[in-house]
Amino acid sequence: MSTTAATTATTTRATGTAHGTEPPAGQIDDGRGRIDALDEQIIALVRERMTVSAGIQRARIASGGRRVHLAREMEILARYRDELGRPGTTMAMTLLELSRGRA
């Protein structure tokens, strides 16, 4: 690789652009604002999921069942893995942990 090509490759890795220019600050701020808004929605949905799960657990226990339904959890793990790959499994495990509540 020539010195120029190596410098260009290094600049591209460092800045994310081929010409060494930074993206406009507004674009970064807008993107971060959107991510923050999405995170708020995700947190709200996780809290809602926890509430729904708690209701299901109470109903299951009241009818003589177990608090945790392992076959159902496996379905959820498979769905997240199929949609998001291996990190999806980790995400699903975290959601399941949050949604199980206290024993």
Side-chain angles (χ1 to χ4, degrees), residues 26 35 45 57 66 68 74 76 81 91-92:
I35 286 173
L45 288 169
Q57 289 174 40
R66 298 179 63 186
V68 175
M74 295 306 292
I76 292 165
R81 181 194 61 238
M91 178 184 284

Side-chain angles (χ1 to χ4, degrees), residues 4-100:
T4 304
T7 302
T8 301
T10 301
T11 301
T12 300
R13 282 191 301 274
T15 64
T17 63
H19 301 290
T21 59
E22 290 292 322
Q27 182 180 0
I28 292 171
D29 290 342
D30 290 349
R32 287 180 177 163
R34 180 69 178 131
I35 286 173
D36 290 345
L38 289 167
D39 285 343
E40 287 178 22
Q41 291 175 21
I42 291 166
I43 290 167
L45 288 169
V46 169
R47 288 184 188 277
E48 181 179 352
R49 187 189 197 289
M50 292 167 64
T51 300
V52 171
S53 181
I56 292 168
Q57 289 174 40
R58 282 190 302 274
R60 193 180 309 117
I61 291 167
S63 67
R66 298 179 63 186
R67 186 174 63 86
V68 175
H69 189 262
L70 296 178
R72 174 68 176 145
E73 288 193 358
M74 295 306 292
E75 291 173 7
I76 292 165
L77 289 169
R79 180 182 320 132
Y80 276 79
R81 181 194 61 238
D82 292 348
E83 291 294 325
L84 302 172
R86 189 174 179 162
T89 303
T90 302
M91 178 184 284
M93 289 295 294
T94 300
L95 286 171
L96 292 170
E97 182 180 352
L98 285 166
S99 296
R100 283 186 195 120

